[in-house]
Amino acid sequence: MEFRTLGQSDLKLSAITFGAWAAGGWMWGGTEQNDAVKAIQSAFDYGVTSIDTAPIYGMGHSEKIVGTAIKDLARDQVQLVTKFGLRWDATEGDFYTNTKDNDRNPIAIYKNASKASIIKECEDSLKRLGTDYIDLYQIHWPDKTTPIQETMEAVAQLIKDGKVRYAGVCNYSVEQLEEANTYVDIISNQVPYSMVNRGIETDLVPYVIKQNMSILAYSPLQRGLLTGKMQAGHVFSEGDHRQGLAFFKDENITQTVTFLDKLKPLAESKHATIAQLVLRWTIEQPGITIALAGARNEKQSIQNAKAIDVKLTAEELQFISKALEQVKLDL
């Protein structure tokens, strides 16, 4: 495994980090806990020592699964990355969405990044994870009802108290990132990025490179679209959020499959899967420090971890980029 330093900190994460959203079940049509635990443990065996989770993933379920998976490990062997700011158990803040929990019960989610909420969320996350500190603590989404100053000063206090090592953000614009960094040292921004979702290259990537910050890319496989295993007409299970996303319209799936077919000879020459090739391409892009890869079982987890073994030359990266130029999804 390769390990990469976030920003100007001394925190190093595995270049392929385990993304534990699907492990929590919420919005993914449920989960099987034993499979999720084995997925995390198998990833660790192959060098994936970093795990990204959040309270909202299964209303605490993902964090509990992570806590179970790492309970027999020495704390300094693993890097725990989690979030705050999405509450399903309170109605203060900025309304986010109506959804259903893993038991299919209706719930309302609110963005709340107030100081009091952050302090409570941190304590709850520590208990679920079975630890006394979090390596990287990130606001999940911007909360327009709370000043950024209040939010970041609360995180700074948690760092001072030893409950958090470093501050990060998720889904922040350059302007929001710039303001947040005036109140606490921000080392990373976690944002969506994939071969077919490259909007951040315009402004965010140049900014973080200039400021020596890091990007944690989530959904690098575009939630399964870039695995090469999906075909037009795919039927999602009940509760799977992907069925309503534009990326998964039949015409977009078909166009993506056509592109991925062009990569098959290259993948085969590397004895790699399409997904492994995609993950390696992702972490080779300027400004991208870490790729978050989710897995629901041991097999997927090991395959993701082995993506690090794929090596791409400058010419091969250029070949992929040129093929990508022909992909024009209807989003």
Side-chain angles (χ1 to χ4, degrees):
M1 181 54 62
E2 296 173 16
F3 294 87
R4 296 181 173 183
T5 302
L6 294 195
Q8 301 180 66
S9 72
D10 63 357
L11 177 61
K12 292 185 177 182
L13 302 188
S14 48
I16 305 295
T17 286
F18 190 97
W21 179 13
W26 175 64
M27 295 183 74
W28 288 89
T31 190
E32 209 296 312
Q33 179 161 336
N34 290 337
D35 285 347
V37 168
K38 286 180 182 177
I40 294 171
Q41 292 174 337
S42 296
F44 181 83
D45 291 340
Y46 280 82
V48 177
T49 62
S50 310
I51 308 165
D52 175 86
T53 183
I56 196 64
Y57 299 160
M59 291 75 242
H61 191 50
S62 176
E63 286 188 328
K64 289 178 182 177
I65 285 174
V66 172
T68 298
I70 67 167
K71 66 180 180 180
D72 295 327
L73 298 175
R75 180 62 182 86
D76 61 0
Q77 287 184 285
V78 65
Q79 300 81 47
L80 295 178
V81 180
T82 193
K83 309 176 187 76
F84 64 87
L86 290 184
R87 298 286 299 271
W88 67 93
D89 54 347
T91 57
E92 293 83 13
D94 180 22
F95 175 76
Y96 180 47
T97 188
N98 286 311
T99 184
K100 293 182 179 180
D101 63 18
N102 285 346
D103 295 321
R104 308 302 294 158
N105 297 314
I107 55 173
I109 299 174
Y110 287 79
K111 298 176 185 176
N112 186 346
S114 66
K115 179 179 180 179
S117 186
I118 293 170
I119 300 302
K120 170 181 167 42
E121 282 207 78
C122 185
E123 292 299 328
D124 290 345
S125 288
L126 291 171
K127 289 176 184 176
R128 287 189 289 257
L129 292 165
T131 186
D132 57 0
Y133 70 91
I134 294 163
D135 292 284
L136 180 65
Y137 204 36
Q138 311 160 109
I139 181 170
H140 206 146
W141 283 94
D143 167 24
K144 67 183 181 182
T145 66
T146 304
I148 288 178
Q149 180 175 359
E150 177 182 342
T151 299
M152 297 306 153
E153 287 180 350
V155 177
Q157 184 62 50
L158 290 171
I159 293 173
K160 184 178 179 181
D161 294 341
K163 296 179 179 180
V164 168
R165 289 185 64 200
Y166 292 103
V169 297
C170 302
N171 304 300
Y172 259 36
S173 66
V174 168
E175 292 74 23
Q176 291 165 331
L177 188 55
E178 206 165 20
E179 181 180 352
N181 199 47
T182 64
Y183 304 113
V184 64
D185 289 335
I186 302 294
I187 64 172
S188 61
N189 191 4
Q190 183 178 147
V191 290
Y193 180 78
S194 76
M195 285 180 163
V196 293
N197 186 15
R198 301 170 65 180
I200 64 169
E201 292 178 351
T202 303
D203 56 353
L204 182 60
V205 167
Y207 178 80
V208 299
I209 291 174
K210 182 179 179 181
Q211 298 297 321
N212 197 14
M213 295 177 179
S214 291
I215 289 176
L216 280 59
Y218 73 80
S219 299
L221 295 172
Q222 204 51 58
R223 308 186 189 189
L225 179 65
L226 292 168
T227 60
K229 298 178 180 179
M230 192 168 288
Q231 298 292 329
H234 183 88
V235 178
F236 294 100
S237 60
E238 184 181 359
D240 192 318
H241 71 287
R242 293 176 293 177
Q243 60 187 330
L245 297 181
F247 282 103
F248 298 96
K249 292 191 294 189
D250 280 354
E251 56 266 36
N252 287 338
I253 293 177
T254 298
Q255 192 176 165
T256 303
V257 168
T258 300
F259 159 70
L260 294 176
D261 283 344
K262 296 177 183 178
L263 303 189
K264 281 183 179 179
L266 178 58
E268 289 170 358
S269 73
K270 305 286 182 180
H271 304 289
T273 67
I274 289 293
Q276 288 170 336
L277 196 71
V278 170
L279 287 174
R280 184 76 231 195
W281 176 92
T282 303
I283 59 174
E284 291 294 335
Q285 300 311 298
I288 308 299
T289 307
I290 304 296
L292 303 177
R296 306 187 68 167
N297 56 54
E298 188 175 12
K299 182 180 178 181
Q300 292 175 356
S301 186
I302 292 172
Q303 284 186 340
N304 289 342
K306 286 185 173 180
I308 206 68
D309 297 329
V310 178
K311 306 302 179 187
L312 294 171
T313 66
E315 291 76 13
E316 289 165 342
L317 287 167
Q318 186 176 19
F319 163 77
I320 295 172
S321 296
K322 189 172 182 179
L324 265 176
E325 292 175 2
Q326 308 303 314
V327 180
K328 307 292 183 183
L329 300 189
D330 177 19
L331 302 174

